[in-house]
Structures are given as C-alpha cells and as structure tokens.
Amino acid sequence: MKKILLSTLVLLLVFSCKDNKGKAPAKFLQDSSGNINHVSVILENDLWNGRIGDAIRDVLTKPIYGLPQDEPMFTLSQIPPQVFSGFVTKNRTILKIEMGKDANIEFKEDQYAKPQKVVVLSGKSREDIIGLIKENADKITEIFRNTEIAERQRQMAKSPHKFEQIKEKLGLTMAFSSIYEIAKERDNFFWFRKNITTGHSHFMIYDLPYDAIKRNDSTIVQIIKIRDSLGKQYFKGRLDGNVNADGTKISSYMITEDAYTPFHGETIIDNKPAFETKGIWELTNDFMGGAFVNYTIEDKVNKRWVGVEGFVFAPSVEKRNYMLELEAIIKSIKID
C-alpha cells in the first residue's frame, strides 16, 4: 500500500511540473548583469596572453569610428574556465573558447542568465580558433552590440518619456528616458537634451520633403549640408551674438568638422532603408565639439525622409556609452 501511495505521489509531482501540453517548464534563470559594452572572455591564461588573445582583442577592442579619441568597441574581462561559475556566469555578453573539439561556432541565448548572448568557439588547435574569430568577426561584434543596444533600451523603458507631441506632429514614436528635456520644438522639429557628468547629450528628430535627398554619388554631401543648415538655425554656440573688440558680431553654430571624413553607409531602421552617417561636430568661432551619429530614413509611404541625430559634448571623458545610448534611442523609432 505504501509503495502504491509513493508511486502515485511521484506521478503527481512529475505531471505537476509540466504545462498543459505535457512539456516541462523552462528552467528559472536569474537576470543577467554587467556594465554596458563589457564582454567576458572565458579562456585559459596562456591562450589569452598568446595569439588567440591577440585575435580576440583585434576584433572586440578595435577603435570605434566617429569618436574624437580612440575608444575600444568593448571592454574585455578574461576569466579562466576553472573559475567560470556562480555570479561570473551572469554577464550579459560572453565569448567562450573551448579547445580540443572540432572547429565550430555556436551562438547561444540565455544559457546562464537572461537576457544573455554566449558565443562559443571550439577548435582542436590555435589556428582553428583564430580562423573562426577572423571569419566571424562582424557577426560576433554585431550580436554583442545589438545585445547592448537592447539592454540600454530596456533600462530606459523603466522611466519612459511622455512627449506625445512627437507622434502628433511627426507621426512616429521613439523610446527614451524621461530624464531628457525638450530644448526646442517646431512644427516638424524636436531637440532633446540631458545633462551628463561633464557635459550634455542631445538628439533631434525632424522630417524632410521626399525630394530633399536624392540617391546618387553626392548623397552624403546632401546629408551633411542639411545637418549643417539645422546646426546654423538651432544649435548656437556660447559666444553667438557677442561683439568682438573690433565691433563685429560673432557667429557661432554647429557644423560638421571637415578635417575628419564622416563615415557613410546604408542600413535598415524600422524595416526601412536608411543612410547612416557618423562623424565629428564643432562650433564655429568656439572650441566645443564632439561625436555625432545621423540616420536619414526613407519613408516611402508618407513620401518623406525622417532625420534622427544624436550628438554628445563630453570633454575629458569616454563617449562610447553615451553614443550607444543615443543609437539605442534612434533605433527604437517606429514610423506610422
């Protein structure tokens, strides 16, 4: 009788641990952690200090284009496999090297925590691993960067803004934190800013007539001309309007620094084709400047272009994380 009761209890426990479709519930995962743009590299010390480590650093710590000073794409922390346990497994982005196996690359999601991306590189030799790193460099960096953008969007969503006039006037929505304050608003133009440790961070949203930009060899010139005209109209320097000793009036406004060639490419934003432009801005007749990222989105349905740009003034500090936040805001755009 006791055996029957025990068997019945075991069966009840088994079935209670399954959902209505007879499937076992997903395992409980703790929240992931880690600073923005920080990757844990699981690798033996001797390999980290050798050619494999060099190959990893060449890919993940290459300088970010479009910043005034060289800053690495990611900050790396190397962890030997024998101590990779407990809280150190909860980092949001992990690159794991496994020697003694067939050459292979795996992209795993939420393996130790959530949200989490784990890239596992396997190989029987150093050459196997180095080859996989070089062949998959773009994919690895894209996965880690998209993970960080999603994390920053998740963090900002905890305190969302309430500027409904963006949707009312431009027919689009963007997700950003309520810490951003509106600096200027026109019928089809919005400029937001927030104070940061040593300066301020900005982004602007606007739309343009469909014939304002044409796809040809001079597209980037057209985009730079537009952003410079907006800078002259809206973003004045501290000295603008002051009078020189000779009686002439000072004109100071934001322009694109012509000594630094902007990056220009094409991408997809909100499932729409877009031009991406990154470079350095400066103020005429002043000593302020910084990085900017501009996306000009083709909105074919509404016969227009939507411009979204983020830029930072943050002297003497790293700008990488500030620029990632602005990119996260821009990439949250949803056009009606």
Side-chain angles (χ1 to χ4, degrees):
M1 185 67 178
K2 289 182 178 179
K3 290 183 178 180
I4 295 174
L5 289 173
L6 181 60
S7 298
T8 303
L9 180 60
V10 169
L11 287 172
L12 287 172
L13 286 171
V14 169
F15 283 112
S16 67
C17 291
K18 296 187 176 183
D19 60 20
N20 293 333
K21 296 181 180 179
K23 296 180 181 178
K27 65 178 180 179
F28 171 77
L29 291 172
Q30 294 182 358
D31 292 338
S32 58
S33 59
N35 294 329
I36 290 291
N37 288 322
H38 188 286
V39 177
S40 294
V41 181
I42 316 307
L43 179 66
E44 294 288 359
N45 293 339
D46 61 328
L47 298 177
W48 175 250
N49 294 321
R51 291 184 296 130
I52 290 180
D54 289 342
I56 293 171
R57 286 184 285 273
D58 286 345
V59 170
L60 296 183
T61 65
K62 64 183 178 182
I64 300 172
Y65 192 88
L67 298 183
Q69 297 86 29
D70 283 352
E71 295 183 40
M73 184 174 295
F74 300 103
T75 299
L76 308 182
S77 291
Q78 180 251 338
I79 303 170
Q82 56 269 27
V83 298
F84 182 63
S85 62
F87 75 93
V88 296
T89 65
K90 304 301 185 289
N91 197 60
R92 195 167 45 256
T93 49
I94 296 173
L95 177 65
K96 192 175 183 183
I97 308 299
E98 297 182 347
M99 299 298 296
K101 298 181 179 181
D102 290 338
N104 187 39
I105 183 168
E106 293 181 90
F107 300 94
K108 299 183 178 182
E109 190 167 350
D110 302 345
Q111 186 173 15
Y112 308 102
K114 64 176 184 180
Q116 185 183 63
K117 297 291 185 182
V118 180
V119 179
V120 182
L121 297 174
S122 307
K124 291 185 177 180
S125 68
R126 287 170 170 79
E127 286 69 26
D128 285 345
I129 299 297
I130 294 170
L132 286 170
I133 293 170
K134 292 181 178 179
E135 292 168 13
N136 297 277
D138 290 343
K139 188 171 184 179
I140 292 170
T141 54
E142 181 183 11
I143 285 174
F144 286 160
R145 184 164 178 78
N146 287 342
T147 300
E148 298 306 81
I149 287 174
E151 172 61 16
R152 198 68 196 93
Q153 290 174 337
R154 186 189 70 83
Q155 293 172 358
M156 288 188 290
K158 295 178 180 179
S159 178
H161 73 90
K162 301 186 185 301
F163 293 102
E164 296 298 328
Q165 56 267 47
I166 297 174
K167 183 174 177 61
E168 294 170 2
K169 293 186 176 182
L170 290 178
L172 58 87
T173 60
M174 292 176 68
F176 56 91
S177 171
S178 59
I179 195 172
Y180 282 90
E181 299 178 346
I182 192 159
K184 192 156 293 186
E185 177 182 353
R186 296 293 183 267
D187 288 340
N188 67 334
F189 177 90
F190 291 87
W191 165 23
F192 292 89
R193 61 168 286 167
K194 77 167 184 177
N195 292 326
I196 54 180
T197 306
T198 64
H200 26 87
S201 182
H202 311 252
F203 69 91
M204 57 181 176
I205 324 163
Y206 54 91
D207 65 3
L208 300 165
Y210 201 46
D211 61 359
I213 296 175
K214 293 180 173 55
R215 290 180 174 274
N216 53 39
D217 294 340
S218 68
T219 300
I220 185 171
V221 176
Q222 299 170 51
I223 291 173
I224 295 300
K225 186 175 180 180
I226 290 169
R227 77 169 304 276
D228 284 352
S229 68
L230 290 171
K232 187 174 184 178
Q233 184 176 358
Y234 295 116
F235 303 100
K236 304 293 186 178
R238 297 166 294 184
L239 302 178
D240 187 70
N242 289 352
V243 178
N244 282 316
D246 61 3
T248 59
K249 185 176 288 188
I250 298 173
S251 177
S252 181
Y253 52 88
M254 184 174 70
I255 61 170
T256 306
E257 183 181 317
D258 57 11
Y260 187 97
T261 303
F263 165 84
H264 180 67
E266 296 193 41
T267 186
I268 300 294
I269 301 289
D270 189 33
N271 296 318
K272 297 172 180 61
F275 294 112
E276 177 184 25
T277 308
K278 294 182 179 180
I280 306 297
W281 64 271
E282 64 178 351
L283 291 178
T284 60
N285 298 311
D286 204 337
F287 296 100
M288 291 178 65
F292 76 85
V293 56
N294 178 291
Y295 290 92
T296 306
I297 307 165
E298 186 175 12
D299 182 10
K300 295 180 181 178
V301 173
N302 297 302
K303 302 294 183 185
R304 63 173 179 168
W305 295 89
V306 174
V308 197
E309 178 172 318
F311 59 98
V312 168
F313 175 66
S316 304
V317 298
E318 291 185 344
K319 299 148 185 73
R320 176 186 69 180
N321 291 356
Y322 294 130
M323 294 305 296
L324 181 127
E325 175 173 298
L326 292 171
E327 190 170 340
I329 291 171
I330 293 169
K331 290 184 175 179
S332 73
I333 193 168
K334 301 294 180 187
I335 300 173
D336 292 346

